[in-house]
């Protein structure tokens, strides 16, 4: 499963790279190209879990991809300054969540401003994930 996800992610990035002109020799932006695949997986192991949702996002020259709000997602990604743990806020104390363990793992794989990224974080359940991400546009797909 993991190899299939990696293959699909790599193929998607290659297609996206060709479609957005990232292979041009002369840069037209201050930052190196950025193209990433984001997933939400049921389970604590992405290799054996079930991928619930996935989105491709390119923030190279324009915001585009399969993400439903690419501009907002690129802005949220830019606010992390490459530290994806900054996506994780303290859970909203006014939002009660059950204490059942039904893990959900989010991932970010690809290239961010010229550097390879492979990041993941596991939440005890979907409610805690939602409360912790606080409506962040990056994983709102």
């Amino acid at each position: 499963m993991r190899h299939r996800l990696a293959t699909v992610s790599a193929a998607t990035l290659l297609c996206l790279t060709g479609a957005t002109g990232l292979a041009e020799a002369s840069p037209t932006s201050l930052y190196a190209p950025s193209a990433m695949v984001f997933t939400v997986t049921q389970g604590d192991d992405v290799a054996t879990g079930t991928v619930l949702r996935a989105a491709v996002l390119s923030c190279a020259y324009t915001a585009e991809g399969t993400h439903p709000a690419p501009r907002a997602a690129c802005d949220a990604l830019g606010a992390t300054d490459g530290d994806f743990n900054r996506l994780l806020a303290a859970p909203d104390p006014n939002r009660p969540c059950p204490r059942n363990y039904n893990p959900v793992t989010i991932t970010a794989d690809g290239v961010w401003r010229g550097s390879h990224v492979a990041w993941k974080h596991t939440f005890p359940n979907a409610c805690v994930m939602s409360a912790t991400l606080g409506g962040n546009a990056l994983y709102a797909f």
Side-chain angles (χ1 to χ4, degrees), residues 57-95:
L57 181 66
S58 172
C59 301
Y61 309 114
T62 60
E64 55 192 16
T66 62
H67 195 287
R71 178 76 271 147
C74 285
D75 291 345
L77 192 54
T80 69
D81 204 26
D83 180 5
F84 286 79
N85 288 321
R86 292 177 62 185
L87 293 170
L88 310 172
D92 182 357
N94 296 321
R95 181 167 180 191

Side-chain angles (χ1 to χ4, degrees), residues 39-46 103-107 120-123:
T39 64
V40 177
T41 302
Q42 184 68 54
D44 56 5
D45 182 3
V46 294
V104 177
T105 302
I106 59 174
T107 65
K120 73 175 185 171
H121 184 83
T122 301
F123 299 94

Side-chain angles (χ1 to χ4, degrees), residues 3-127:
H3 296 293
R4 185 174 60 196
L5 180 59
T7 302
V8 170
S9 297
T12 302
L13 287 174
L14 286 174
C15 291
L16 187 59
T17 300
T20 59
L22 297 178
E24 294 177 4
S26 60
T28 59
S29 174
L30 177 64
Y31 298 107
S34 300
M36 303 194 65
V37 176
F38 299 93
T39 64
V40 177
T41 302
Q42 184 68 54
D44 56 5
D45 182 3
V46 294
T48 59
T50 302
V51 176
L52 301 175
R53 300 184 301 276
V56 176
L57 181 66
S58 172
C59 301
Y61 309 114
T62 60
E64 55 192 16
T66 62
H67 195 287
R71 178 76 271 147
C74 285
D75 291 345
L77 192 54
T80 69
D81 204 26
D83 180 5
F84 286 79
N85 288 321
R86 292 177 62 185
L87 293 170
L88 310 172
D92 182 357
N94 296 321
R95 181 167 180 191
C97 286
R99 293 183 179 245
N100 65 321
Y101 188 70
N102 190 12
V104 177
T105 302
I106 59 174
T107 65
D109 291 297
V111 177
W112 173 244
R113 295 185 176 168
S115 297
H116 179 263
V117 172
W119 177 83
K120 73 175 185 171
H121 184 83
T122 301
F123 299 94
N125 58 51
C127 180

